[in-house]
Structure formats: structure tokens, C-alpha cells
Amino acid sequence: MFQYRLWISDGGFIYLLRLQSDITKQQVKNEELEDRNKRLEARVEEYREGQDILEEQARSQLGMVKKDETFIHVIESGKSKSE
């Protein structure tokens, strides 16, 4: 009876080995997902930084205006006041 409980029953040696195997597989999967998340976070950061650069260029070169902003364009005359 003791041998049965040790080898076959829930909580026995075989059950313990199966749990250890499941834990190892889950740890590997978690590491893969953590690596994936880090790569995705890096891409998001690149897009955020890139978005700022793109917006700055669009504002200065193309006159981009966001919603609820007022665009004021100042035109300088070709003559200075001293002439």
C-alpha cells in the first residue's frame, strides 16, 4: 500500500515529477514572453520618439496644425526699417 501511494497516487513521486516538468515548461514559456515584451516595449519607445521627430518636421516644414490649435503665419517684408 505504501508503494502505491509513493509511486501512483496524487501527491506521489510520479505526480511530483510531472509537476516539476510542467513548472520547467512554464518557466521557459515565461522567459520567451518576457523577451517578447521587452522587444515590443523597445519598438513602442522607438515609435514614440519617432512620432515626436515626425511631428516636429511636419510642423516646421509642412505647417501641420493639431486640432484646437491656432496657426499664425508671420510674413517678414523684404525691406528693413532702416532703409
Side-chain angles (χ1 to χ4, degrees):
M1 188 59 127
F2 177 72
Q3 290 292 318
Y4 171 79
R5 290 183 67 196
L6 177 64
W7 294 102
I8 299 173
S9 69
D10 287 343
F13 187 70
I14 295 173
Y15 179 75
L16 177 64
L17 290 177
R18 196 175 323 131
L19 282 178
Q20 287 176 338
S21 174
D22 290 346
I23 289 170
T24 301
K25 289 177 187 176
Q26 189 62 48
Q27 287 174 334
V28 168
K29 187 175 181 178
N30 288 350
E31 289 173 5
E32 291 171 356
L33 290 172
E34 286 177 6
D35 290 341
R36 178 178 172 258
N37 285 346
K38 287 178 184 178
R39 288 191 309 269
L40 288 172
E41 287 175 10
R43 286 182 69 187
V44 166
E45 192 60 34
E46 286 175 7
Y47 287 135
R48 281 188 184 147
E49 291 174 5
Q51 184 70 22
D52 292 341
I53 293 169
L54 289 174
E55 183 178 329
E56 181 181 331
Q57 289 180 349
R59 285 178 176 279
S60 65
Q61 296 175 5
L62 304 173
M64 182 187 95
V65 180
K66 287 185 176 181
K67 184 179 178 180
D68 298 329
E69 288 184 337
T70 304
F71 177 73
I72 300 174
H73 185 80
V74 178
I75 300 175
E76 296 180 18
S77 66
K79 298 181 181 178
S80 66
K81 290 183 179 181
S82 63
E83 290 182 18

